[in-house]
Amino acid sequence: MKVLVTGGTGYIGSHTCVELIEAGHEPIVLDNLCNSNPESLHRVAQITGCDTIPFIEGDVCDENVLHEVFRKHPDIKCVIHFAGLKAVGESVSMPLQYYRNNLLSTMSLCRVMQQYGVKKIIFSSSATVYSGDNEMPLRESSKTGNCTNPYGWTKYMCEQILRDIAKADPEWSVVLLRYFNPVGAHKSGLIGEHPNGIPNNLMPFISQTAIGKREKLSVFGNDYDTHDGTGVRDYIHVVDLARGHVAAANYMMDHPGESVFNLGTGTGYSVLDMVTAFEQANGVNVPYVIAPRRDGDLATCYADPAKSRQELGWEAQFNQVDMCRDAWNWQSKNPNGYDA
Ligand code: NAD
Ligand code: UDP
């Protein structure tokens, strides 16, 4: 089936395009390239043996662009909505940009989808919508809200908007996927994550330190109540995450209404676990120093993925070594990302 993939040139979107094509689907990508490079789609074509991936450069907030897309592709069956701004720290300093981009894109998209009778959407949500006072592991029924930054609130608010749309019109099918910590890259090393500037997230920081672009990793806090004092997270291989979207797209075809699923592995690793695993998997050194805790960080966060396993028939296949090996394969083959 034809699937509109907003944000499809980005990190998770490009990996999802590969998995969609390999499952026999046809992605059409809409992206304004504000945080990505269209070279990713050439690489997707290279991996999958396709000639080209249909691509429209445009802003999802712009309803005229969306009309053009749906007019040109009247056989789109569903939408996977990745497009969004995602840097937590930036969202604190530029809240308006985040609320405008992330909320308006979701609302414009749904308005236009409705006009063309396309009422199936998968939304990129995040574990950040869970309230910090939950017991671990996090279940889909765990408490949400009390977000610690505007980025998290945009995800929380988009979830609510989509939930209300599904409630108002029973023909809608809305799947909210709450991602834990996506890491790694396609095993070919052709596509991966290349953050602009200094990486905020742990894994790209580790890779860039290993390759010498950063002098050392700062480990944010070693006095948490965890097995080694450093923060524990549920890291998930991006290819597993991408396959979760294919499972959700199939599920959506005969499950109207709103559904929410965690996409995580259910296993938590600490910062130092990840550093050691990366060093051992790749035979490299990752120098680090212990730094103060980062504001807003939790000690521990990991998923209960049972509902995804039972209802989507999906579970993560890749382990920590795969994540570290594939992250390094991408980083070492593409030290400057998609820039030559
Ligand atoms: P990414 O920045 O690599 O991809 C997002 C893409 O959306 C980029 O290509 C960007 O150019 C595009 N985009 C942004 N605003 C747009 C707009 N208005 N119109 C058109 N294109 C637009 O990020 P990613 O890591 O691939 O994340 C994809 C989605 O998953 C995002 O919504 C993000 O918030 C969510 N998410 C990511 C993580 C993570 O750790 N990577 C975790 C949880 C949720
Ligand atoms: N982290 C760290 N140094 C960094 C980046 C992250 O110690 O340079 C830690 C962070 O405190 C958290 C874990 O790594 O415990 C994962 O952080 P990331 O930003 O990747 O994801 P999130 O905070 O969204 O879970």
Side-chain angles (χ1 to χ4, degrees):
M1 70 182 159
K2 252 190 200 180
V3 183
L4 175 61
V5 182
T6 76
T9 56
Y11 173 46
I12 305 171
S14 56
H15 286 83
T16 301
C17 287
V18 170
E19 299 307 314
L20 284 168
I21 293 166
E22 289 187 344
H25 302 301
E26 213 183 315
I28 293 152
V29 171
L30 170 61
D31 199 302
N32 65 1
L33 305 178
C34 69
N35 195 39
S36 56
N37 187 315
E39 171 61 17
S40 64
L41 293 186
H42 297 137
R43 308 278 183 94
V44 170
Q46 197 178 334
I47 292 168
T48 55
C50 290
D51 286 343
T52 50
I53 314 298
F55 171 58
I56 302 104
E57 182 177 346
D59 192 325
V60 187
C61 299
D62 183 343
E63 292 195 12
N64 293 324
V65 170
L66 292 166
H67 279 287
E68 240 174 75
V69 174
F70 283 98
R71 266 201 301 265
K72 193 165 167 208
H73 300 280
D75 44 353
I76 289 173
K77 289 276 177 299
C78 68
V79 178
I80 307 182
H81 181 34
F82 291 109
L85 300 176
K86 64 163 185 177
V88 169
E90 192 181 64
S91 80
V92 175
S93 53
M94 303 198 291
L96 258 180
Q97 266 104 318
Y98 272 69
Y99 285 113
R100 184 182 182 282
N101 190 70
N102 293 2
L103 269 66
L104 189 57
S105 61
T106 303
M107 290 189 286
S108 304
L109 181 61
C110 289
R111 264 168 59 86
V112 176
M113 285 172 67
Q114 181 139 308
Q115 290 170 42
Y116 290 83
V118 180
K119 297 184 178 180
K120 292 182 170 54
I121 186 167
I122 296 172
F123 177 68
S124 294
S125 190
S126 165
T128 190
V129 301
Y130 288 114
S131 178
D133 54 2
N134 283 298
E135 301 233 315
M136 295 297 142
L138 293 166
R139 298 189 173 82
E140 289 80 353
S141 54
S142 298
K143 200 167 109 194
T144 58
N146 299 322
C147 301
T148 50
N149 55 73
Y151 166 72
W153 281 117
T154 68
K155 293 296 175 192
Y156 178 90
M157 290 176 190
C158 284
E159 282 201 2
Q160 188 59 42
I161 291 167
L162 291 164
R163 199 171 286 126
D164 287 340
I165 291 172
K167 215 182 280 171
D169 178 351
E171 285 181 5
W172 272 87
S173 177
V174 164
V175 178
L176 309 172
L177 296 180
R178 293 182 181 153
Y179 311 159
F180 281 70
N181 291 60
V183 296
H186 190 267
K187 66 175 189 301
S188 62
L190 285 168
I191 54 174
E193 182 178 24
H194 185 70
N196 287 327
I198 301 171
N200 297 306
N201 296 114
L202 179 66
M203 274 301 262
F205 208 109
I206 289 179
S207 306
Q208 292 196 9
T209 306
I211 209 164
K213 285 185 150 223
R214 312 277 154 212
E215 191 192 335
K216 52 185 180 298
L217 170 74
S218 293
V219 175
F220 298 143
N222 68 348
D223 55 355
Y224 285 108
D225 183 17
T226 62
H227 64 274
D228 61 13
T230 66
V232 166
R233 296 291 182 274
D234 186 337
Y235 297 94
I236 175 169
H237 196 295
V238 66
V239 172
D240 275 329
L241 191 78
R243 290 179 184 165
H245 292 74
V246 178
N250 293 333
Y251 173 91
M252 214 168 34
M253 292 304 134
D254 50 10
H255 289 84
E258 174 238 340
S259 328
V260 49
F261 294 105
N262 284 338
L263 294 183
T265 65
T267 303
Y269 291 111
S270 73
V271 175
L272 293 181
D273 289 338
M274 294 306 283
V275 170
T276 307
F278 194 93
E279 290 182 327
Q280 287 177 355
N282 301 311
V284 293
N285 281 328
V286 180
Y288 68 84
V289 288
I290 304 296
R293 289 182 177 196
R294 184 171 68 178
D295 272 357
D297 270 354
L298 296 176
T300 302
C301 176
Y302 60 93
D304 179 346
K307 186 177 178 220
S308 299
R309 188 170 58 238
Q310 284 152 13
E311 295 185 29
L312 292 179
W314 168 91
E315 81 185 304
Q317 304 293 321
F318 295 104
N319 62 27
Q320 190 192 25
V321 174
D322 300 321
M323 298 176 205
C324 293
R325 186 200 52 225
D326 293 339
W328 180 240
N329 186 36
W330 154 258
Q331 177 70 63
S332 47
K333 286 183 175 157
N334 306 270
N336 299 314
Y338 294 109
D339 296 333

